[in-house]
Amino acid sequence: MDKLKNGVAGVWGAIYQDLKKKLPDHAMHAWFDSVIPVGFQKNSLVLELPNQFSLEWIESHYKEEITQSINSLFKERVQYRFLVSKSQIKNSFNKRSKERFSRTEAKKFNNLNMKYTFDNFIVGNNNEFAKTASESVSKNPGQQNFNPLIIYGGVGLGKTHLMHAIGNNALKNNPNLNIVNITSEKFTLDFVNSLRKNKTIEFAQNYRSSDILLIDDIQFFRGKEQTQEQFFHTFNVLYQSGKQIVLTADKFPGEMKGLQSRLLSRFQSGLSVDVQPPNFELRVAILLEKAEQNKLTLDYSAIEFIARHIKNNIRELEGTIIRLLAKSSLLNIEIDHQLVTEVVKERAGGSIGNEVSIENIVKKVSQISKIKEHEIVGKSRKMEIAEARQVSMFLCREVMGLSLSNIGMFFGGRDHTTVMHALKTVGEKQISNNRINTMIKSIRKELGFSFL
Ligand code: ADP
Ligand code: MG
């Protein structure tokens, strides 16, 4: 009963501590550290969450735990509800954003995502120029040579991130700027609505009063002639009065199809910068950073494993980290090599399955042990052959997680107790026998599982 008198912080504090006893650390970090208790009245607790995703996640996965904690802690009935932080100011993801913004200041950020900053944009030679140009534009909007700035490249490579970072940084330097930030679809929709409601003048004024106009994914203007015309006029008005325009697109302007040539020629007066897929080192750097942001502890070898298999897209790298976190929270298990392999397999699709197959394991064991493949899967009990077979079985279990009976079936129709014996023998030899240990390590490495 007393606990209820401790006010909103005390009530949530007690629940938090109780949850901590039940849930793994990473689940607490991922979902509960960012909860802010904002109100407690008539035994009803209001909890603020940084985004809709956490809200849905907690509601669908942890409701029962929360209710149990409440029931065990308080004699009276305590209700709770969640709401999403409007400003997302207290975004726990971005530990580097040290600036504190007041709520009124935050309003001006309209729909800029504050998570996207230059500080947390990791630079490699694939995106260095794009970042430098973006930063320069944000510090000095409207310079002729950089107007418009067009950031182009494939999906998930940081275009939207950079565009928002320009807005965020420009506002930091000059909070009075009017920044209009929009996707090309929203621009089209706004325009169509203004036509419908006879408000095209307001529409035009709204966009033409911006100091910086940010439009994301302009490839979606393709084929929308009237929208392009509106955009062309808006563009001219802004350009002529020295206002900055920043656009993102999936292709170099010269290669964009379905956009009017007068627009494309306007684009050429500015600067186009590209973002390319990240190389291996940048992928590792991004994974390390994203893991840290999400308070996820991963072995370096697991990070390398992910970086080796997920190659084209930074959003995918980030997605892998989130997925790991989600899976381990959902299933209430610690992150180990098996989980990492599983998640990477899900995301990388066939590309890792190609390398990992029983046949491939046998082939690699055969290459190193010089025992023929058909002998490894055959019936011979000769010592060297049996040993190569046992090592193969061991790797099939370890790398592919196959069941004992499936392994037995493949290796000459043996039963699961034989396989179990093989696993035990190899497990022991791995410690006592250097040759076996080296062989296993080198095959794991070739298959991309060096972290096991
Ligand atoms: P695009 O707009 O090119 O499709 P996004 O800007 O939406 O890609 O980027 C996808 C995700 O990857 C975002 O969460 C973004 O923060 C992250 N990201 C992309 N590039 C980087 C980078 N260089 N450093 C850190 N995070 C990045
Ligand atoms: Mg984007």
Side-chain angles (χ1 to χ4, degrees):
M1 202 74 45
D2 271 342
K3 288 181 188 130
L4 287 182
K5 297 215 178 83
N6 291 340
V8 56
V11 172
W12 172 244
I15 299 171
Y16 179 90
Q17 290 306 330
D18 196 64
L19 287 170
K20 212 169 161 179
K21 288 185 218 149
K22 301 190 281 196
L23 300 174
D25 276 357
H26 49 82
M28 292 305 290
H29 286 315
W31 310 114
F32 294 101
D33 282 5
S34 48
V35 172
I36 299 170
V38 288
F40 184 60
Q41 269 186 336
K42 297 193 182 143
N43 284 4
S44 178
L45 181 63
V46 183
L47 300 167
E48 189 178 275
L49 295 172
N51 51 48
Q52 186 64 23
F53 179 67
S54 339
L55 186 148
E56 284 167 15
W57 191 267
I58 294 182
E59 291 222 311
S60 57
H61 295 102
Y62 295 111
K63 251 188 149 154
E64 206 168 302
E65 277 89 352
I66 298 173
T67 309
Q68 273 171 6
S69 292
I70 289 179
N71 292 342
S72 72
L73 288 165
F74 312 114
K75 282 187 195 131
E76 288 169 52
R77 216 175 119 80
V78 172
Q79 293 184 322
Y80 66 93
R81 70 185 170 86
F82 295 113
L83 51 88
V84 175
S85 158
K86 288 224 169 49
S87 53
Q88 300 201 354
I89 307 174
K90 301 169 185 102
N91 197 327
S92 65
F93 276 2
N94 183 5
K95 69 178 167 41
R96 289 197 195 158
S97 80
K98 298 186 190 80
E99 302 87 357
R100 289 271 170 269
F101 299 97
S102 74
R103 280 189 185 263
T104 45
E105 269 173 316
K107 262 193 196 149
K108 292 192 192 131
F109 278 67
N110 47 53
N111 54 352
L112 285 172
N113 187 337
M114 293 178 64
K115 218 170 79 181
Y116 295 156
T117 63
F118 290 123
D119 269 359
N120 64 19
F121 188 83
I122 302 167
V123 183
N125 48 18
N126 62 317
N127 59 19
E128 194 172 5
F129 185 47
K131 190 211 168 187
T132 313
S134 299
E135 219 168 353
S136 163
V137 162
S138 75
K139 286 182 186 148
N140 212 344
Q143 305 167 71
Q144 217 179 13
N145 295 340
F146 287 15
N147 204 12
L149 175 69
I150 300 180
I151 307 167
Y152 70 93
V155 285
L157 296 179
K159 302 182 298 293
T160 301
H161 187 132
L162 282 175
M163 200 181 81
H164 283 238
I166 292 174
N168 286 324
N169 204 41
L171 272 180
K172 208 166 87 187
N173 298 334
N174 181 358
N176 296 320
L177 286 178
N178 180 18
I179 297 191
V180 174
N181 160 48
I182 197 159
T183 61
S184 63
E185 288 109 319
K186 179 78 173 35
F187 184 92
T188 308
L189 192 69
D190 266 11
F191 174 58
V192 172
N193 279 335
S194 75
L195 281 179
R196 220 160 42 105
K197 295 180 185 155
N198 272 332
K199 288 195 170 163
T200 45
I201 296 176
E202 283 91 334
F203 170 86
Q205 274 168 353
N206 191 14
Y207 284 96
R208 292 172 198 177
S209 65
S210 49
D211 296 308
I212 303 183
L213 175 64
L214 309 168
I215 303 189
D216 210 0
D217 290 325
I218 56 162
Q219 66 271 18
F220 297 122
F221 281 153
R222 188 182 302 134
K224 298 170 183 162
E225 298 298 324
Q226 219 182 341
T227 307
Q228 286 186 33
E229 182 162 342
Q230 266 302 319
F231 175 59
F232 181 71
H233 294 310
T234 305
F235 185 102
N236 287 340
V237 170
L238 292 176
Y239 185 79
Q240 276 150 21
S241 47
K243 307 296 189 187
Q244 178 72 45
I245 299 148
V246 180
L247 309 169
T248 73
D250 64 345
K251 290 201 177 61
F252 178 67
E255 294 169 10
M256 280 181 208
K257 296 211 170 74
L259 258 62
Q260 296 168 0
S261 53
R262 58 179 179 173
L263 267 179
L264 297 181
S265 78
R266 283 285 185 281
F267 295 166
Q268 273 155 25
S269 63
L271 177 69
S272 299
V273 292
D274 66 336
V275 284
Q276 291 289 331
N279 63 16
F280 178 76
E281 287 75 11
L282 185 68
R283 300 203 293 278
V284 168
I286 286 171
L287 284 165
L288 286 169
E289 173 68 22
K290 302 284 172 189
E292 195 185 313
Q293 282 174 15
N294 289 290
K295 303 197 169 113
L296 186 71
T297 325
L298 278 179
D299 284 354
Y300 179 70
S301 52
I303 297 260
E304 269 209 11
F305 177 75
I306 302 172
R308 187 123 23 85
H309 293 286
I310 302 206
K311 294 183 185 150
N312 301 326
N313 183 322
I314 296 171
R315 186 177 295 135
E316 277 287 304
L317 289 173
E318 206 172 25
T320 306
I321 296 284
I322 304 284
R323 183 93 185 118
L324 274 174
L325 199 64
K327 268 210 149 172
S328 72
S329 308
L330 174 67
L331 305 170
N332 216 347
I333 50 178
E334 292 303 325
I335 293 169
D336 59 6
H337 65 79
Q338 209 182 336
L339 188 65
V340 174
T341 318
E342 206 178 292
V343 168
V344 169
K345 262 192 194 156
E346 272 169 26
R347 303 196 77 91
S351 66
I352 97 166
N354 290 344
E355 289 171 38
V356 185
S357 62
I358 304 186
E359 289 81 0
N360 207 3
I361 289 173
V362 171
K363 193 163 128 200
K364 298 220 179 315
V365 173
S366 164
Q367 280 162 0
I368 297 186
S369 65
K370 308 274 184 278
I371 307 283
K372 300 217 162 52
E373 287 176 45
H374 73 267
E375 288 179 322
I376 295 180
V377 300
K379 300 232 184 264
S380 165
R381 290 173 186 262
K382 255 177 92 181
M383 212 176 74
E384 313 88 78
I385 298 177
E387 189 185 81
R389 183 180 305 128
Q390 289 180 330
V391 168
S392 307
M393 289 175 163
F394 180 86
L395 284 164
C396 285
R397 175 74 175 167
E398 190 187 56
V399 171
M400 301 180 67
L402 292 179
S403 71
L404 301 180
S405 52
N406 275 344
I407 296 174
M409 229 145 58
F410 188 87
F411 290 91
R414 292 171 162 83
D415 72 8
H416 77 277
T417 51
T418 313
V419 180
M420 203 144 70
H421 174 72
L423 301 184
K424 186 160 169 275
T425 311
V426 178
E428 284 162 10
K429 280 193 187 162
Q430 223 189 337
I431 302 165
S432 61
N433 183 329
N434 212 7
R435 183 177 51 83
I436 297 275
N437 188 26
T438 316
M439 170 149 106
I440 290 175
K441 274 196 178 149
S442 85
I443 295 176
R444 277 179 188 153
K445 197 166 169 200
E446 283 186 42
L447 295 171
F449 286 77
S450 49
F451 65 93
L452 286 175

